Amino acid sequence: MGYRTRTMFPWPLVGRSSLLLASLLLAAGHFPRTGVATAPPALPLSASEYSVVTLGDSSSGVDVDVFLDLVCIDTKKAWPVIKQVIQTYDRAVQWRFHQFPLPYHTNAFMVAKGAVVAATYGNDTAALRYMDIAFARQIQVSNELTQGMTYKAVEGVVAAWVQEATGLEREVVRRKLQEGGVEEAVRFSFKYATIRSIFGTPMFVINQMLVPGLDGGSDVMDWEEYLAPLLTQMARES
Ligand SMILES: *[C@@H]1O[C@H](CO)[C@@H](O)[C@H](O)[C@H]1NC(C)=O
């Protein structure tokens, strides 16, 4: 479940304790006392490089970064709406899907690796099909239902989904799920999201701006409120 199901997110506590930590570190001489405390992260990150699927035209002028977790109930709620909005705007909007497997969803990282295998060894269509399957059968990989399952058994469930989406042999999929490059793709996707200040799913960034008004409960009309003015502006400028 995403952060939005928590009605009482303890922001003041977070603020106070990190302030305390910062002053402790400062006192201990961890930060230079002159000006900027931290340099920007050194990862060579570009949005498209760390997306699992990209749709639409990179020259469209309106781009949406979707941060999702395939094991998140709120992302599952948002998925049909996102698909409808994609159809409505067709190629006028570029969509980049970034995976942000939340640590409290025990199997989220494995399920995210499945999407990378489907995209890398299948194609974008296969990856989107895999996501459809993952959302539809999300309950099978929930914390509750996998309590008594081994890591390998969960890998088997994910491998079956990838097989169904791509047509690849089950054993081939299992080997690919264990590849270092597949693991790394999800790690970098996660790091990319954290650098963009993402802390839950689904979260949406439109033209580099985080849009707090869009979440798992948004409908197509909510999306239109944000996208229509941008597209009108693009049309005027071109
Ligand atoms: C994508 O993969 C699917 C399933 O493997 C296949 O049926 C389809 O033809 C592929 N599409 C393209 C555009 O290559």
Side-chain angles (χ1 to χ4, degrees):
M1 239 171 289
Y3 71 100
R4 282 170 212 285
T5 51
R6 296 273 175 282
T7 47
M8 298 270 287
F9 199 82
W11 279 121
L13 282 180
V14 171
R16 235 175 288 143
S17 56
S18 48
L19 208 62
L20 182 65
L21 182 66
S23 41
L24 285 175
L25 289 173
L26 203 62
H30 274 80
F31 291 144
R33 282 154 203 260
T34 55
V36 184
T38 46
L43 289 170
L45 293 174
S46 85
S48 55
E49 206 170 335
Y50 295 105
S51 58
V52 62
V53 174
T54 303
L55 300 175
D57 195 339
S58 62
S59 64
S60 67
V62 178
D63 49 68
V64 180
D65 291 298
V66 177
F67 293 89
L68 63 98
D69 174 2
L70 294 170
V71 188
C72 160
I73 287 172
D74 292 325
T75 311
K76 173 180 170 150
K77 259 190 242 156
W79 187 239
V81 176
I82 294 169
K83 288 206 294 188
Q84 208 178 326
V85 179
I86 290 173
Q87 279 201 332
T88 306
Y89 291 103
D90 194 28
R91 301 190 70 81
V93 173
Q94 187 184 43
W95 296 81
R96 295 185 290 245
F97 294 95
H98 306 279
Q99 301 202 86
F100 188 54
L102 295 164
Y104 39 89
H105 295 149
T106 311
N107 304 309
F109 199 91
M110 172 67 79
V111 177
K113 287 205 294 184
V116 172
V117 172
T120 310
Y121 297 102
N123 54 38
D124 281 358
T125 312
L128 292 169
R129 267 191 74 197
Y130 171 82
M131 291 187 192
D132 282 338
I133 294 168
F135 285 126
R137 303 188 205 148
Q138 194 178 64
I139 189 81
Q140 290 179 21
V141 291
S142 65
N143 291 357
E144 290 77 9
L145 286 195
T146 55
Q147 267 177 26
M149 282 170 74
T150 62
Y151 181 82
K152 282 280 152 202
V154 175
E155 185 187 80
V157 171
V158 171
W161 294 352
V162 177
Q163 178 182 29
E164 192 175 330
T166 61
L168 292 167
E169 296 280 343
R170 182 87 54 101
E171 277 316 303
V172 172
V173 173
R174 285 194 91 125
R175 278 201 301 279
K176 300 212 177 294
L177 282 171
Q178 291 161 20
E179 275 177 8
V182 170
E183 163 104 11
E184 195 166 84
V186 180
R187 285 190 192 197
F188 273 81
S189 175
F190 182 89
K191 290 172 198 286
Y192 175 72
T194 63
I195 288 167
R196 302 296 300 271
S197 302
I198 298 302
F199 56 88
T201 56
M203 285 178 79
F204 305 98
V205 172
I206 300 180
N207 285 2
Q208 311 303 317
M209 298 273 287
L210 183 64
V211 184
L214 290 172
D215 61 25
S218 303
D219 60 20
V220 174
M221 300 244 290
D222 296 326
W223 275 93
E224 279 175 357
E225 260 178 55
Y226 290 96
L227 292 179
L230 288 172
L231 289 163
T232 308
Q233 192 187 335
M234 288 307 301
R236 222 182 281 136
E237 283 171 11
S238 63

